[in-house]
Amino acid sequence: MKNIVVFTGAGISAESGLSTFRDSNGLWKKYKIEDVATFGAFIKNPRLVLNFYNLRRKQLLKVEPNIAHISLNELQYKFNLTIVTQNIDDLHERSGTKNVIHLHGKLTESKSIIDNKIYDIVGGELNVGDYCKKGGQLRPNVVWFGEAVPNMDLAIEVVRKASILIIIGTSLQVYPAATIIDYAINAERIILVDTNPSIYKGIEVFKGKATEIIPDLVRGLLS
Ligand code: APR
């Protein structure tokens, strides 16, 4: 079977009720990145940072995958499907997708600041005083600005082998994630689905909502 890679951003989860970052009502209109999404911010004000993610985790528990997440899984009947996501939500997994590579971490996990060991977050909250087995403060298992993206090499490897790359709901403004498109050197088709597409040159662009476009796009790819 041919390989298909779907590269997603916050836009695919928007219609499930999760905020994007750079839309008019996005998270970065309400919070400063330097206050809540850097290691320095965590050291300076751990409570503020942990609460920023506690709020988003609580919100995540209230929402469901939407038809865009769900319909992507049908691609598994004809293709080797891998999803590379910038999202830290678990909506792809909860929709039934097996192969998901998270570039920016997972909201549902914490990690030790001593040895980077990963733990599931039980009960949805992560607070100051929640320690790992070695007594180190636990932090969200998310990639903050300025930090390395551990899964980038793995993502590049799968994108290089993709016959089709579908990009959904990302402003392609954050690096190195946004360079993914440059590694699709063997792709017969590169397709972009976005309400406000940021690139058009040399690819197939569908302007609109993921839930309105993805089901038909999947049906077309399976026919
Ligand atoms: N359907 C399709 N696309 C949508 C929808 C929708 N319903 N709603 C919004 N979009 C599009 C927007 O037009 C925009 O291009 O989704 C994109 C969201 O862009 P951002 O808010 O910048 O989110 P993203 O690209 O995922 O951000 C990348 O930045 O802050 C960091 O780590 C964070 O992973 C995140 C990274």
Side-chain angles (χ1 to χ4, degrees):
M1 289 201 277
K2 288 189 173 182
N3 300 317
I4 191 165
V5 173
V6 181
F7 176 51
T8 63
I12 195 169
S13 298
E15 291 164 270
S16 290
L18 296 183
S19 298
T20 62
F21 295 93
R22 296 172 183 82
D23 286 330
S24 52
N25 57 351
L27 284 171
W28 300 148
K29 298 287 188 294
K30 298 171 190 138
Y31 296 88
K32 283 191 187 155
I33 288 173
E34 58 271 26
D35 291 344
V36 294
T38 67
F39 186 69
F42 176 68
I43 296 299
K44 188 172 150 215
N45 192 338
R47 274 181 184 75
L48 177 69
V49 171
L50 291 174
N51 281 336
F52 173 66
Y53 290 96
N54 286 340
L55 274 175
R56 292 173 67 190
R57 204 171 297 111
K58 274 201 190 96
Q59 179 64 359
L60 179 56
L61 294 172
K62 291 184 211 151
V63 302
E64 296 294 327
N66 61 54
I67 190 62
H69 296 102
I70 294 164
S71 52
L72 288 172
N73 293 309
E74 288 160 40
L75 292 168
Q76 290 171 120
Y77 297 115
K78 186 176 171 187
F79 300 93
N80 292 318
L81 169 66
T82 305
I83 290 191
V84 175
T85 187
Q86 299 170 91
N87 300 338
I88 59 175
D89 66 55
D90 59 353
L91 295 181
H92 283 302
E93 289 89 343
R94 283 165 54 189
S95 78
T97 311
K98 304 276 177 294
N99 296 339
V100 183
I101 297 172
H102 283 265
L103 291 182
H104 295 158
K106 294 183 183 178
L107 195 51
T108 55
E109 293 177 347
S110 64
K111 75 176 177 182
S112 160
I113 57 171
I114 290 181
D115 59 9
N116 281 333
K117 194 167 171 354
I118 291 170
Y119 301 84
D120 284 332
I121 294 177
V122 182
E125 288 238 333
L126 185 60
N127 296 301
V128 172
D130 289 347
Y131 297 135
C132 71
K133 292 191 171 66
K134 292 182 179 170
Q137 171 66 46
L138 290 169
R139 54 163 280 183
N141 180 29
V142 299
V143 176
W144 282 325
F145 285 88
E147 293 188 318
V149 180
N151 287 336
M152 194 65 199
D153 289 346
L154 175 62
I156 288 169
E157 201 185 310
V158 292
V159 169
R160 276 191 202 283
K161 294 176 194 153
S163 299
I164 299 173
L165 173 65
I166 306 176
I167 303 164
I168 308 170
T170 175
S171 61
L172 293 167
Q173 288 185 38
V174 170
Y175 290 80
T179 62
I180 281 283
I181 187 168
D182 302 332
Y183 292 96
I185 48 178
N186 295 307
E188 297 148 17
R189 297 177 70 183
I190 298 180
I191 300 164
L192 173 68
V193 177
D194 200 289
T195 44
N196 181 22
S198 49
I199 48 172
Y200 283 87
K201 203 158 102 10
I203 61 174
E204 298 170 57
V205 177
F206 293 81
K207 182 173 166 61
K209 289 185 175 181
T211 58
E212 290 166 6
I213 292 172
I214 299 300
D216 287 340
L217 179 64
V218 167
R219 269 191 286 278
L221 288 165
L222 293 175
S223 61

mmCIF file of all heavy atoms in Angstrom, residues 157-181:
data_model
loop_
_atom_site.group_PDB
_atom_site.id
_atom_site.type_symbol
_atom_site.label_atom_id
_atom_site.label_comp_id
_atom_site.label_asym_id
_atom_site.label_seq_id
_atom_site.Cartn_x
_atom_site.Cartn_y
_atom_site.Cartn_z
ATOM 1 N N GLU A 157 11.338 11.325 8.330
ATOM 2 C CA GLU A 157 11.512 9.999 7.704
ATOM 3 C C GLU A 157 10.198 9.543 7.064
ATOM 4 O O GLU A 157 10.169 9.103 5.913
ATOM 5 C CB GLU A 157 11.952 9.013 8.795
ATOM 6 C CG GLU A 157 12.642 7.755 8.313
ATOM 7 C CD GLU A 157 12.901 6.844 9.505
ATOM 8 O OE1 GLU A 157 13.450 7.332 10.515
ATOM 9 O OE2 GLU A 157 12.510 5.669 9.419
ATOM 10 N N VAL A 158 9.092 9.696 7.773
ATOM 11 C CA VAL A 158 7.814 9.220 7.189
ATOM 12 C C VAL A 158 7.357 10.131 6.051
ATOM 13 O O VAL A 158 6.812 9.665 5.055
ATOM 14 C CB VAL A 158 6.693 9.080 8.247
ATOM 15 C CG1 VAL A 158 6.962 7.975 9.233
ATOM 16 C CG2 VAL A 158 6.388 10.345 8.952
ATOM 17 N N VAL A 159 7.628 11.435 6.161
ATOM 18 C CA VAL A 159 7.173 12.340 5.100
ATOM 19 C C VAL A 159 7.964 12.109 3.808
ATOM 20 O O VAL A 159 7.416 12.161 2.717
ATOM 21 C CB VAL A 159 7.272 13.816 5.573
ATOM 22 C CG1 VAL A 159 7.077 14.794 4.422
ATOM 23 C CG2 VAL A 159 6.263 14.097 6.673
ATOM 24 N N ARG A 160 9.243 11.772 3.961
ATOM 25 C CA ARG A 160 10.062 11.475 2.766
ATOM 26 C C ARG A 160 9.459 10.313 1.964
ATOM 27 O O ARG A 160 9.550 10.263 0.751
ATOM 28 C CB ARG A 160 11.481 11.058 3.194
ATOM 29 C CG ARG A 160 12.450 12.168 3.470
ATOM 30 C CD ARG A 160 13.849 11.534 3.601
ATOM 31 N NE ARG A 160 14.769 12.384 4.357
ATOM 32 C CZ ARG A 160 15.352 13.461 3.843
ATOM 33 N NH1 ARG A 160 15.096 13.817 2.604
ATOM 34 N NH2 ARG A 160 16.174 14.196 4.569
ATOM 35 N N LYS A 161 8.807 9.364 2.674
ATOM 36 C CA LYS A 161 8.292 8.162 2.002
ATOM 37 C C LYS A 161 6.840 8.318 1.552
ATOM 38 O O LYS A 161 6.234 7.402 1.006
ATOM 39 C CB LYS A 161 8.365 6.964 2.967
ATOM 40 C CG LYS A 161 9.775 6.543 3.336
ATOM 41 C CD LYS A 161 9.727 5.426 4.353
ATOM 42 C CE LYS A 161 11.076 5.187 5.020
ATOM 43 N NZ LYS A 161 10.921 4.622 6.373
ATOM 44 N N ALA A 162 6.274 9.510 1.806
ATOM 45 C CA ALA A 162 4.842 9.698 1.523
ATOM 46 C C ALA A 162 4.586 9.867 0.025
ATOM 47 O O ALA A 162 5.274 10.629 -0.662
ATOM 48 C CB ALA A 162 4.342 10.937 2.268
ATOM 49 N N SER A 163 3.548 9.143 -0.472
ATOM 50 C CA SER A 163 3.097 9.364 -1.859
ATOM 51 C C SER A 163 2.138 10.546 -1.892
ATOM 52 O O SER A 163 2.014 11.241 -2.898
ATOM 53 C CB SER A 163 2.364 8.118 -2.364
ATOM 54 O OG SER A 163 3.250 7.029 -2.349
ATOM 55 N N ILE A 164 1.439 10.732 -0.752
ATOM 56 C CA ILE A 164 0.507 11.872 -0.644
ATOM 57 C C ILE A 164 0.728 12.527 0.714
ATOM 58 O O ILE A 164 0.851 11.842 1.735
ATOM 59 C CB ILE A 164 -0.963 11.398 -0.762
ATOM 60 C CG1 ILE A 164 -1.219 10.740 -2.125
ATOM 61 C CG2 ILE A 164 -1.924 12.583 -0.559
ATOM 62 C CD1 ILE A 164 -2.593 10.110 -2.252
ATOM 63 N N LEU A 165 0.804 13.858 0.707
ATOM 64 C CA LEU A 165 0.883 14.613 1.970
ATOM 65 C C LEU A 165 -0.338 15.535 2.027
ATOM 66 O O LEU A 165 -0.576 16.302 1.089
ATOM 67 C CB LEU A 165 2.160 15.460 2.032
ATOM 68 C CG LEU A 165 2.273 16.432 3.224
ATOM 69 C CD1 LEU A 165 2.358 15.668 4.557
ATOM 70 C CD2 LEU A 165 3.492 17.353 3.052
ATOM 71 N N ILE A 166 -1.098 15.393 3.108
ATOM 72 C CA ILE A 166 -2.253 16.281 3.308
ATOM 73 C C ILE A 166 -1.953 17.153 4.522
ATOM 74 O O ILE A 166 -1.616 16.631 5.584
ATOM 75 C CB ILE A 166 -3.555 15.475 3.570
ATOM 76 C CG1 ILE A 166 -3.803 14.445 2.464
ATOM 77 C CG2 ILE A 166 -4.744 16.433 3.682
ATOM 78 C CD1 ILE A 166 -5.015 13.544 2.719
ATOM 79 N N ILE A 167 -2.055 18.466 4.357
ATOM 80 C CA ILE A 167 -1.788 19.413 5.451
ATOM 81 C C ILE A 167 -3.119 20.035 5.858
ATOM 82 O O ILE A 167 -3.848 20.542 4.994
ATOM 83 C CB ILE A 167 -0.827 20.522 4.972
ATOM 84 C CG1 ILE A 167 0.485 19.914 4.443
ATOM 85 C CG2 ILE A 167 -0.547 21.525 6.091
ATOM 86 C CD1 ILE A 167 1.301 20.886 3.613
ATOM 87 N N ILE A 168 -3.443 19.933 7.128
ATOM 88 C CA ILE A 168 -4.770 20.406 7.574
ATOM 89 C C ILE A 168 -4.635 21.357 8.765
ATOM 90 O O ILE A 168 -4.063 20.993 9.802
ATOM 91 C CB ILE A 168 -5.673 19.216 8.006
ATOM 92 C CG1 ILE A 168 -5.741 18.145 6.918
ATOM 93 C CG2 ILE A 168 -7.077 19.711 8.377
ATOM 94 C CD1 ILE A 168 -6.411 16.846 7.366
ATOM 95 N N GLY A 169 -5.164 22.570 8.609
ATOM 96 C CA GLY A 169 -5.385 23.450 9.759
ATOM 97 C C GLY A 169 -4.136 23.886 10.481
ATOM 98 O O GLY A 169 -4.071 23.825 11.707
ATOM 99 N N THR A 170 -3.130 24.364 9.698
ATOM 100 C CA THR A 170 -1.946 24.917 10.349
ATOM 101 C C THR A 170 -1.498 26.160 9.601
ATOM 102 O O THR A 170 -1.522 26.220 8.369
ATOM 103 C CB THR A 170 -0.776 23.912 10.420
ATOM 104 O OG1 THR A 170 0.380 24.566 10.963
ATOM 105 C CG2 THR A 170 -0.440 23.295 9.086
ATOM 106 N N SER A 171 -1.055 27.159 10.373
ATOM 107 C CA SER A 171 -0.595 28.418 9.752
ATOM 108 C C SER A 171 0.834 28.284 9.226
ATOM 109 O O SER A 171 1.361 29.203 8.607
ATOM 110 C CB SER A 171 -0.659 29.544 10.785
ATOM 111 O OG SER A 171 0.196 29.228 11.888
ATOM 112 N N LEU A 172 1.461 27.150 9.506
ATOM 113 C CA LEU A 172 2.839 26.887 9.020
ATOM 114 C C LEU A 172 3.788 28.016 9.425
ATOM 115 O O LEU A 172 4.626 28.459 8.637
ATOM 116 C CB LEU A 172 2.835 26.694 7.493
ATOM 117 C CG LEU A 172 2.105 25.435 6.989
ATOM 118 C CD1 LEU A 172 1.893 25.510 5.480
ATOM 119 C CD2 LEU A 172 2.859 24.161 7.358
ATOM 120 N N GLN A 173 3.620 28.498 10.648
ATOM 121 C CA GLN A 173 4.464 29.609 11.121
ATOM 122 C C GLN A 173 5.480 29.193 12.171
ATOM 123 O O GLN A 173 6.259 30.012 12.643
ATOM 124 C CB GLN A 173 3.579 30.723 11.707
ATOM 125 C CG GLN A 173 2.806 31.481 10.640
ATOM 126 C CD GLN A 173 2.048 32.653 11.259
ATOM 127 O OE1 GLN A 173 2.535 33.313 12.170
ATOM 128 N NE2 GLN A 173 0.846 32.875 10.761
ATOM 129 N N VAL A 174 5.412 27.908 12.601
ATOM 130 C CA VAL A 174 6.302 27.492 13.697
ATOM 131 C C VAL A 174 7.311 26.477 13.169
ATOM 132 O O VAL A 174 6.939 25.506 12.514
ATOM 133 C CB VAL A 174 5.482 26.918 14.866
ATOM 134 C CG1 VAL A 174 6.377 26.269 15.908
ATOM 135 C CG2 VAL A 174 4.676 28.043 15.498
ATOM 136 N N TYR A 175 8.580 26.747 13.462
ATOM 137 C CA TYR A 175 9.667 25.897 12.973
ATOM 138 C C TYR A 175 10.255 25.095 14.119
ATOM 139 O O TYR A 175 10.221 25.550 15.261
ATOM 140 C CB TYR A 175 10.728 26.806 12.299
ATOM 141 C CG TYR A 175 10.201 27.365 11.000
ATOM 142 C CD1 TYR A 175 9.328 28.464 11.005
ATOM 143 C CD2 TYR A 175 10.471 26.733 9.788
ATOM 144 C CE1 TYR A 175 8.787 28.940 9.802
ATOM 145 C CE2 TYR A 175 9.923 27.216 8.600
ATOM 146 C CZ TYR A 175 9.080 28.304 8.622
ATOM 147 O OH TYR A 175 8.530 28.756 7.446
ATOM 148 N N PRO A 176 10.796 23.914 13.850
ATOM 149 C CA PRO A 176 11.003 23.302 12.538
ATOM 150 C C PRO A 176 9.769 22.591 11.965
ATOM 151 O O PRO A 176 9.802 22.146 10.834
ATOM 152 C CB PRO A 176 12.105 22.277 12.815
ATOM 153 C CG PRO A 176 11.875 21.846 14.226
ATOM 154 C CD PRO A 176 11.397 23.080 14.939
ATOM 155 N N ALA A 177 8.663 22.509 12.711
ATOM 156 C CA ALA A 177 7.500 21.741 12.233
ATOM 157 C C ALA A 177 7.106 22.150 10.817
ATOM 158 O O ALA A 177 6.830 21.315 9.953
ATOM 159 C CB ALA A 177 6.325 21.935 13.190
ATOM 160 N N ALA A 178 7.088 23.445 10.551
ATOM 161 C CA ALA A 178 6.591 23.933 9.250
ATOM 162 C C ALA A 178 7.463 23.462 8.077
ATOM 163 O O ALA A 178 7.005 23.453 6.932
ATOM 164 C CB ALA A 178 6.531 25.456 9.268
ATOM 165 N N THR A 179 8.682 23.017 8.375
ATOM 166 C CA THR A 179 9.544 22.564 7.261
ATOM 167 C C THR A 179 9.135 21.184 6.764
ATOM 168 O O THR A 179 9.661 20.713 5.742
ATOM 169 C CB THR A 179 11.033 22.484 7.688
ATOM 170 O OG1 THR A 179 11.149 21.506 8.749
ATOM 171 C CG2 THR A 179 11.544 23.823 8.187
ATOM 172 N N ILE A 180 8.205 20.535 7.458
ATOM 173 C CA ILE A 180 7.769 19.181 7.059
ATOM 174 C C ILE A 180 7.471 19.141 5.567
ATOM 175 O O ILE A 180 7.849 18.205 4.857
ATOM 176 C CB ILE A 180 6.511 18.763 7.875
ATOM 177 C CG1 ILE A 180 6.907 18.297 9.256
ATOM 178 C CG2 ILE A 180 5.672 17.706 7.163
ATOM 179 C CD1 ILE A 180 7.501 16.911 9.342
ATOM 180 N N ILE A 181 6.791 20.155 5.070
ATOM 181 C CA ILE A 181 6.358 20.160 3.664
ATOM 182 C C ILE A 181 7.570 20.042 2.729
ATOM 183 O O ILE A 181 7.494 19.426 1.656
ATOM 184 C CB ILE A 181 5.523 21.430 3.363
ATOM 185 C CG1 ILE A 181 4.912 21.363 1.948
ATOM 186 C CG2 ILE A 181 6.303 22.703 3.578
ATOM 187 C CD1 ILE A 181 3.867 22.431 1.693
#
